[in-house]
Amino acid sequence: MSIDYTESLQEIISMTDIWCGADASASDLVAASDMALRVKSRAVAVAPAHVHIVWAWMEGKGTEVFAVFQDSGICDPSKLAPEIHAVFKKGADGVILPWSADIAGALLPVRDDLFFGKKLFLSAFLGNIEPYGWAEIFNILKRVGADGIMLYAQAAKKQTDAVGRFYGMLENIDTGFSPKVSALVDSPAVMESMHRLAKRMRPDIAENLRFFIGHRA
């Protein structure tokens, strides 16, 4: 995604990271890695099968590589730990897993050992979550000791859809609980609105807010 950063968006450019879909080719991944280094992104998110390609470019450069799991079948305890261990061996600095009670239950027995020195984010589709649903999500985040939450906020019908639901999230975060928040967003206007909202409602969240931008070759 190519973004024309206006003056009002200059603060946000330093908050952007790179996202590569599971259908990315090897050349796409190399291009995305090059872009991440040029714009000094803190993270690149890729499919588990692509971790080794991106890691070869990111090693020692200070940009983290996250493996994104989107298959709900990963919640099977017999598959979860081996799959995560495999991407860590390939160089991943962390993983992004779908949030669910099943995944939380599968993670708990292996959380401390498996994620030693690594990061865990749980993901949620922002458009699917009503205000009353956040309590369960935050309970699971705390239960598994997640480092943060990754929100799929792209393709909203209207800007107000994503921003309004983000407001609902900020309003329902427990006092004293400050998870790191990342969001996959396809609109600069939505990024700006979400950032301003976080600064006003939860400055502690705004300090670590990051936006993933889908890479296009």
Side-chain angles (χ1 to χ4, degrees):
M1 177 179 181
S2 176
I3 290 181
D4 178 17
Y5 289 95
T6 63
E7 184 176 348
S8 62
L9 288 168
Q10 287 305 309
E11 187 176 3
I12 293 178
I13 193 171
S14 63
M15 302 166 59
T16 55
D17 297 316
I18 305 299
W19 182 280
C20 293
D23 59 348
S25 66
S27 60
D28 291 336
L29 295 167
V30 171
S33 300
D34 179 65
M35 176 182 289
L37 294 175
R38 284 190 286 108
V39 302
K40 297 180 172 60
S41 294
R42 293 184 188 175
V44 177
V46 299
H50 297 156
V51 166
H52 67 292
I53 298 174
V54 175
W55 178 80
W57 286 80
M58 295 294 132
E59 183 184 10
K61 302 293 177 54
T63 299
E64 295 180 323
V65 180
F66 279 83
V68 183
F69 291 86
Q70 295 180 305
D71 180 5
S72 59
I74 195 68
C75 66
D76 182 339
S78 67
K79 299 178 181 178
L80 185 65
E83 291 278 1
I84 294 173
H85 181 65
V87 296
F88 286 162
K89 287 184 66 176
K90 293 177 182 177
D93 297 285
V95 297
I96 299 172
L97 300 171
W99 81 273
S100 75
D102 288 339
I103 284 181
L107 281 175
L108 283 173
V110 297
R111 172 64 174 98
D112 292 339
D113 292 335
L114 185 60
F115 285 88
F116 182 75
K118 303 292 185 179
K119 295 181 179 179
L120 167 63
F121 275 64
L122 298 183
S123 64
F125 285 89
L126 189 59
N128 294 343
I129 304 169
E130 301 297 337
Y132 58 79
W134 288 110
E136 181 182 2
I137 293 176
F138 290 131
N139 179 58
I140 287 177
L141 286 170
K142 290 185 290 184
R143 186 181 172 198
V144 300
D147 295 285
I149 184 169
M150 210 296 297
L151 303 171
Y152 293 103
Q154 76 277 35
K157 294 179 181 178
K158 299 179 296 184
Q159 177 180 339
T160 52
D161 289 347
V163 178
R165 290 179 184 272
F166 186 66
Y167 174 92
M169 187 202 78
L170 293 173
E171 192 176 40
N172 285 278
I173 298 178
D174 297 354
T175 301
F177 180 50
S178 299
K180 292 183 179 179
V181 178
S182 292
L184 177 59
V185 184
D186 57 7
S187 164
V190 170
M191 285 191 285
E192 184 177 27
S193 295
M194 291 171 71
H195 181 230
R196 288 180 176 178
L197 198 58
K199 287 180 70 174
R200 184 167 70 247
M201 295 179 65
R202 288 293 298 261
D204 54 330
I205 298 293
E207 287 181 6
N208 293 306
L209 181 62
R210 305 290 300 175
F211 295 105
F212 277 108
I213 299 173
H215 178 263
R216 297 290 183 273

